[in-house]
Amino acid sequence: MPFHDFHTAARFGRAGLILPAYLAGLLLFIASYRVAADTPLPLEEAQRHAVAASSRIAAQDEAVIAFRHTAGQARELPDPVITLGIDNLPIDGADQFSVSRDFMTMRRIGITQVFTTAEKRQLRGERLDRAGERARLERDALVADIQRDTALAWLERYYAEALGRVMAEQISEAALAVDAAETAYRTGRGGQSDVLAARSARIEAEDRASEADRRIRTAIIMLARWIGPAAQAPLADIPDMARIPFDPDSIETHFMHHPEIRALAEQVAIARAESQLARADKKPDWTWELIYSQRGPAYSNMVSVGVSVPLPWNQANRQDREVAAKLALVEQARAQREDVLRMHTSEVRAMLEEWQNNQRRRGRYQQELLPLAQQGVQAALTAYRGAKADLTDVLAARRNALDLRLQALQLDLETARLWARLAFLFPRNTDPAPAATAATLLPTPHQEIK
């Protein structure tokens, strides 16, 4: 059967005039959420939606505010204490419960103030300042995580839709092939085996389209987890994924500025401030007290002044041990920071290696494998035109080309996932800093490179 007859018969046959119901349903589903919004949704806009809608970021903002207030409070002296009382009140005899007849009975009012040294108050404030900075950096790390996860969900949907379009195209071609095979069989130019093979190919394409349909629906649900109803909008063009925002040759230097690593560095500073505070606590706070005592009209009133000083009589087993414990926590925090830095650096290096390798593989697919597969389809069609091959050979060539296209799409998705994890290691300035905290996102301390 000539090649042009193959397509002519398909176009005017019953299957060629009416697409399979499944294909129509798939196209209707894709169209149903594409009309949800007129403006395509870029990746950057989706990330802005996700960051703005995150209650975790709002909670972290409140934590920053809380640390700022407590740091200011820690630098102040404790509140004075007012004391009221009655001393030496008779409870029996002629002066029972009288506050004026017995010369020893006194109505007392006093004020007590603990005087904490300026060094201690400064260290306590510094410790809370560091804790507030750690909370701000944890917010930045959280922003980066949300931007990364939103990008992954956005890309998942983008490639799920790309897969859906490929499968819709394959179902259409499979329907044409079935109609052509049936026409050839009725006219005696083809065998029943060709009809069965064409029908099998169509069913296989419909089954793959069913999986593509599920992936699209799931991808929309996962994107809605981050941006809500905006997930129904059509997607804009995919961003440029041929570059990442740091130099692969300076990962260690770059990663030193990562919010998580800087937050761990702040934890080291917190532990160091606590060790200095423990050392300062070896000098006890003094408590001053002033008391005015009023007696009966026949007796003189009195004033008392006193001071209380803790007696650190066993510093070797108390204060010195506390200092040693705090110093050990400093070393613990420093070791944890170094371990996390090495772990993340290794992870980023592995991702970089895989991303660069995938870039090379993508070029191989686009420049060699896919063109060769298409040439194979053309060669099978040419042989079929010349009655030197069966329809099954054409279907096999098409199936091989489809498999390669699907492999290329899967490779593109895997490469896009790696790009998202690398590109959003750092938060990007997608929203203004909260006015209440005046927290600012870290700028990227580097230039993007090819």
Side-chain angles (χ1 to χ4, degrees):
M1 181 179 181
F3 177 65
H4 66 275
D5 291 341
F6 177 89
H7 280 281
T8 302
R11 289 192 184 95
F12 291 96
R14 185 173 57 246
L17 291 174
I18 303 175
L19 290 176
Y22 197 92
L23 173 61
L26 177 63
L27 294 177
L28 180 61
F29 169 72
I30 295 175
S32 67
Y33 61 80
R34 283 199 172 276
V35 298
D38 296 331
T39 305
L41 178 67
L43 174 58
E44 295 80 3
E45 184 65 25
Q47 291 172 321
R48 279 191 288 271
H49 278 298
V51 171
S54 174
S55 57
R56 291 189 295 166
I57 291 179
Q60 200 66 24
D61 289 337
E62 296 302 323
V64 174
I65 295 175
F67 279 117
R68 179 175 293 115
H69 287 307
T70 53
Q73 177 266 339
R75 288 184 169 90
E76 300 297 325
L77 284 172
D79 290 334
V81 177
I82 297 293
T83 60
L84 299 173
I86 298 177
D87 297 333
N88 305 319
L89 179 68
I91 60 174
D92 57 14
D95 296 333
Q96 184 179 18
F97 301 123
S98 172
V99 297
S100 61
R101 291 197 295 269
D102 192 288
F103 77 97
M104 292 185 63
T105 302
M106 294 179 289
R107 288 161 290 183
R108 171 172 47 84
I109 181 171
I111 184 170
T112 302
Q113 174 70 63
V114 177
F115 284 91
T116 304
T117 64
E119 179 188 12
K120 290 184 184 179
R121 289 184 278 122
Q122 180 60 31
L123 287 171
R124 289 170 183 171
E126 180 182 345
R127 177 181 60 183
L128 291 168
D129 283 338
R130 295 291 190 176
E133 181 64 11
R134 181 188 60 188
R136 188 188 70 80
L137 291 167
E138 288 172 349
R139 178 198 187 274
D140 291 345
L142 181 58
V143 169
D145 289 345
I146 291 174
Q147 291 175 339
R148 178 202 62 213
D149 292 342
T150 304
L152 290 171
W154 191 96
L155 292 167
E156 196 75 33
R157 177 185 160 187
Y158 181 91
Y159 283 103
E161 292 180 356
L163 176 63
R165 290 190 292 269
V166 171
M167 296 316 305
E169 178 185 337
Q170 292 301 313
I171 290 177
S172 179
E173 291 186 2
L176 295 176
V178 169
D179 192 74
E182 290 175 348
T183 301
Y185 177 66
R186 287 193 299 268
T187 59
R189 290 181 293 177
Q192 189 177 17
S193 61
D194 290 342
V195 176
L196 296 176
R199 289 176 178 174
S200 177
R202 183 184 64 186
I203 294 172
E204 182 181 350
E206 290 173 349
D207 183 67
R208 289 187 173 186
S210 176
E211 175 62 16
D213 177 46
R214 181 200 64 78
R215 288 184 63 174
I216 292 174
R217 293 179 184 274
T218 301
I220 292 176
I221 292 172
M222 297 308 296
L223 184 58
R225 179 257 182 271
W226 298 106
I227 63 175
Q232 298 293 331
L235 299 185
D237 292 336
I238 198 166
D240 180 15
M241 295 188 297
R243 58 178 65 204
I244 53 175
F246 60 89
D247 185 353
D249 296 329
S250 59
I251 295 177
E252 289 85 356
T253 302
H254 174 76
F255 221 79
M256 292 291 289
H257 301 282
H258 191 274
E260 183 178 354
I261 302 302
R262 291 180 60 190
L264 290 173
E266 290 298 328
Q267 184 59 44
V268 175
I270 291 171
R272 187 179 295 113
E274 289 179 346
S275 69
Q276 293 171 346
L277 183 58
R279 185 175 285 109
D281 278 338
K282 295 176 70 174
K283 299 177 181 179
D285 297 336
W286 289 34
T287 303
W288 292 86
E289 184 178 38
L290 175 65
I291 299 174
Y292 173 76
S293 300
Q294 184 183 49
R295 301 198 292 176
Y299 310 105
S300 300
N301 297 329
M302 297 183 178
V303 173
S304 301
V305 178
V307 60
S308 300
V309 183
L311 183 60
W313 63 275
N314 193 14
Q315 288 196 358
N317 289 320
R318 294 177 60 83
Q319 288 81 4
D320 290 350
R321 286 184 180 273
E322 183 178 2
V323 172
K326 297 299 184 181
L327 290 173
L329 291 177
V330 174
E331 296 306 315
Q332 179 195 28
R334 184 180 291 111
Q336 288 176 342
R337 174 184 174 276
E338 294 301 322
D339 182 70
V340 171
L341 178 59
R342 287 196 299 269
M343 179 184 68
H344 284 325
T345 300
S346 298
E347 289 175 352
V348 172
R349 283 192 178 279
M351 285 193 294
L352 268 171
E353 181 62 33
E354 187 175 358
W355 176 73
Q356 291 169 342
N357 182 62
N358 281 3
Q359 292 282 60
R360 293 189 291 269
R361 291 183 60 200
R362 289 178 70 241
R364 193 175 299 120
Y365 268 90
Q366 297 298 326
Q367 299 170 17
E368 300 179 27
L369 292 176
L370 291 177
L372 284 174
Q374 191 58 37
Q375 291 173 17
V377 173
Q378 295 299 323
L381 287 172
T382 301
Y384 181 74
R385 270 201 313 266
K388 296 180 181 180
D390 297 329
L391 180 60
T392 54
D393 296 327
V394 178
L395 294 175
R398 287 186 179 277
R399 186 178 299 109
N400 177 63
L402 173 62
D403 289 341
L404 281 174
R405 287 181 67 183
L406 296 180
Q407 290 173 20
L409 271 177
Q410 183 62 33
L411 179 60
D412 286 346
L413 175 57
E414 292 173 359
T415 307
R417 288 169 177 165
L418 289 167
W419 172 83
R421 292 189 175 97
L422 291 169
F424 299 104
L425 284 171
F426 280 74
R428 296 196 180 182
N429 294 325
T430 57
D431 65 328
T437 63
T440 56
L441 299 181
L442 294 177
T444 305
H446 44 68
Q447 304 220 344
E448 292 191 344
I449 63 163
K450 286 282 188 180

